[in-house]
Amino acid sequence: MKKVGILLFCLLGSIQVFGVDYFLHTDYGTSAKTIGIGNVEGFNESSAVIFENPAGLHSVDHISFSGFHTTYIAGSVDFYSLALAYKTKVGTFGFGLFEHSVPNIKRTTEDNNGEYGYSDSFSNRNGVYKFSYGKQLSKNTFGGTNLSYYYNEVDTTSGTGFNIDTGLYFDFHTLGVSLVAKNLIPKFEVSYSNGKAESLPLQLAIGLNKHYQDIDLYVQAKLQDPDDPYQFSFGSKYQPEYLNNIFYVSMGWQQFLVVGNSYDKVTLGVGLELLGLTFHVAYEDSSFYESDQQYYSSISVKL
Amino acid sequence: MKKGVLLMCMIVSISSQLIGEIGLDDISSSSTVKSSEISNADMELESVTSILGANLESILSSEGLEVLLDGDDGGDSDEEPQLVGDALVYPNPSSFSVDNPKIGYRLNQNMTIEIRLYTVQGYQVGRKIYESGEEEGALAGYNKVDVLELLNGQYLPAGTYIYILIFENKVIAKEFMAVKP
């Protein structure tokens, strides 16, 4: 643990601040289950954990598939993710895709009077592929790595970039510890066809999960920019054993940053597991002017 | 004397035709008509005005009507305050480091307008209130406001954002804005 602490301290010192950071849409949740516990990352037992901490792949027994969907802006923008993980004798391999697209954006023109009109439309497609590998390192320690491929297409301007995530997971029976560093290599940026680039921000997060009887408690501290404060998250989950663990309810609170602005939100979640198929739904108040509610849904399958 | 009667008849005939064309019969209860809303009739209005000269205004006045020219305040209008047409950002897509994107829209009269800018997840990243009649953005006619004003000069990462115009707690326009690096 001491070595890990030193490693994290060194990584923190290496954070560099560039002009404009790439917008990491995965920060706002890639699974309804995780959103329901305040987006405390690394404790999802399905393949969706690829987006959170690749070391969490240790919980995949054989094959795991998961899907996630939500719409924002009163149904105008669809976000979805798919993830697949397969356990082998040499470790667990995984693949994940998280994407959203915005069609029918008006391309505008200016007339001789200086007034604006529009001629046609274009689209924006943004996403990330994650290729993952996780392995047990010792009795209680698991490690994992992602190769992330980012893409962002705005009309005819397209950008792509690679980076690496790495994580550790410590399993102390009723206590789980998740450590993850995302976008480890500072000089790997998203480079665009117009010659510009955006840096992929390094993120560090440490999370704890304490299990006691039917209750799980979660806490997380996350850091992106050394000039910004830590972002904390808390979560809880109640999964009664007398119902054979087929049902849970959860609640969370999350601090997060949006283009340098600090937000926080309360989330609620519920899940139902039947025959290896688990349905998750999460809810939060919408911060968009025209919407009151924001729902997320996920499904995960264990084979 | 007969020439005078003939001239009056011509004036009444032309003015009646004009009133019919611009639909004033339908809104005779309204005491104000803006010339910007009758752009199709502008050319005819100008030619008729040249014929009738000052008599037109006196005739319209006698009908209880008033003609406002573009750029007039319009603050005492009985019309409902509203956005005329779309509220569009130009250029779209735009790059903050190259362009100076502006949101352009036409108001039929002075109105207090609030503009908010959101990410596609619905998180607010920019906001400004334009007070009625006091500044560009809240004036009768065509307004252009800098997007960077909403953001306090901060550039946004590449992607799609959404802006809304709010008047009296109602969203009167909603559009996407795409940002290139």
Side-chain angles (χ1 to χ4, degrees), chain A residues 16-303:
Chain A
Q16 297 177 40
V17 182
F18 292 83
V20 175
D21 282 340
Y22 186 78
F23 198 122
L24 293 174
H25 292 277
T26 46
D27 277 355
Y28 310 104
T30 54
S31 147
K33 183 176 184 182
T34 304
I35 291 169
I37 54 169
N39 216 19
V40 177
E41 297 178 315
F43 304 102
N44 195 321
E45 292 113 354
S46 76
S47 53
V49 78
I50 288 169
F51 299 105
E52 304 171 15
N53 180 355
L57 283 172
H58 73 89
S59 61
V60 173
D61 289 331
H62 186 50
I63 296 175
S64 171
F65 170 80
S66 57
F68 163 78
H69 178 257
T70 192
T71 60
Y72 290 103
I73 313 293
S76 303
V77 183
D78 280 284
F79 277 71
Y80 70 91
S81 75
L82 299 169
L84 179 68
Y86 179 62
K87 191 168 194 171
T88 70
K89 289 178 181 176
V90 294
T92 306
F93 293 87
F95 169 75
L97 162 67
F98 182 82
E99 186 181 87
H100 79 273
S101 62
V102 186
N104 302 320
I105 305 169
K106 291 173 181 170
R107 187 192 318 282
T108 53
T109 56
E110 185 174 26
D111 67 18
N112 294 334
N113 298 322
E115 298 189 14
Y116 303 152
Y118 64 93
S119 54
D120 59 347
S121 63
F122 61 95
S123 63
N124 172 214
R125 197 168 71 98
N126 179 299
V128 58
Y129 295 107
K130 290 195 181 269
F131 303 91
S132 301
Y133 175 69
K135 186 174 173 54
Q136 185 164 3
L137 303 176
S138 69
K139 185 184 173 187
N140 298 319
T141 309
F142 304 86
T145 300
N146 283 334
L147 174 64
S148 305
Y149 172 74
Y150 295 92
Y151 58 91
N152 190 12
E153 298 164 8
V154 184
D155 192 18
T156 57
T157 304
S158 59
T160 57
F162 285 96
N163 217 310
I164 288 173
D165 308 332
T166 193
L168 292 169
Y169 186 90
F170 303 95
D171 186 357
F172 304 115
H173 303 292
T174 61
L175 178 69
V177 181
S178 168
L179 292 168
V180 64
K182 296 180 183 175
N183 300 318
L184 267 172
I185 307 173
K187 293 188 178 177
F188 281 20
E189 303 171 318
V190 173
S191 301
Y192 287 87
S193 55
N194 64 356
K196 304 284 176 56
E198 290 180 322
S199 57
L200 287 162
L202 172 63
Q203 294 183 330
L204 305 171
I206 180 169
L208 304 174
N209 167 211
K210 175 67 181 171
H211 180 76
Y212 179 72
Q213 294 185 347
D214 293 341
I215 293 172
D216 281 279
L217 298 174
Y218 305 88
V219 59
Q220 176 182 269
K222 193 172 186 178
L223 185 64
Q224 177 166 311
D225 187 322
D227 293 332
D228 291 324
Y230 281 93
Q231 303 148 56
F232 292 98
S233 296
F234 300 96
S236 61
K237 186 179 76 172
Y238 173 64
Q239 189 165 14
E241 197 170 348
Y242 70 87
L243 290 175
N244 294 323
N245 295 320
I246 63 166
F247 170 79
Y248 75 81
V249 290
S250 63
M251 186 175 178
W253 177 83
Q254 182 191 3
Q255 282 182 323
F256 56 103
L257 294 171
V258 183
V259 197
N261 301 304
S262 185
Y263 284 84
D264 64 82
K265 62 183 180 184
V266 173
T267 57
L268 301 171
V270 61
L272 182 66
E273 181 176 342
L274 293 169
L275 304 171
L277 197 65
T278 311
F279 301 92
H280 312 273
V281 175
Y283 165 85
E284 66 189 44
D285 281 342
S286 172
S287 55
F288 186 56
Y289 191 83
E290 283 191 305
S291 310
D292 294 329
Q293 296 132 1
Q294 178 67 45
Y295 288 98
Y296 305 89
S297 58
S298 291
I299 184 170
S300 54
V301 185
K302 289 181 192 171
L303 297 174

